[in-house]
Amino acid sequence: MATASFIVEGMSCDGCVSAIRRALAAVDGVQSTDVNLATGEVKVEYDPQRAGTSSLQNAIRGAGYDVS
């Protein structure tokens, strides 16, 4: 397993947190997510054989948020 951390912009409520969790859960290989609304940080534990950081970032962008 590997862990990636991202800063996500545009989160403003618990609904945003849920949307990001759902988007990441749909990525094959994602084991767990930790979304911190206060800091804007998202930590993802994933299988690097099945997912990469670009697919994780694309999932967050697909949910409507900017990610770096």
Side-chain angles (χ1 to χ4, degrees):
M1 287 293 165
T3 303
S5 295
F6 306 105
I7 298 299
V8 177
E9 296 178 23
M11 291 192 298
S12 60
C13 65
D14 288 336
C16 298
V17 171
S18 295
I20 291 171
R21 283 190 179 135
R22 279 192 307 272
L24 289 168
V27 177
D28 184 43
V30 170
Q31 183 71 32
S32 66
T33 60
D34 179 24
V35 182
N36 188 317
L37 179 61
T39 63
E41 185 176 18
V42 175
K43 293 181 183 177
V44 185
E45 186 178 15
Y46 66 100
D47 180 349
Q49 299 293 324
R50 296 165 48 196
T53 56
S54 62
S55 61
L56 302 174
Q57 289 176 324
N58 286 338
I60 295 168
R61 287 185 186 109
Y65 302 91
D66 292 326
V67 62
S68 58

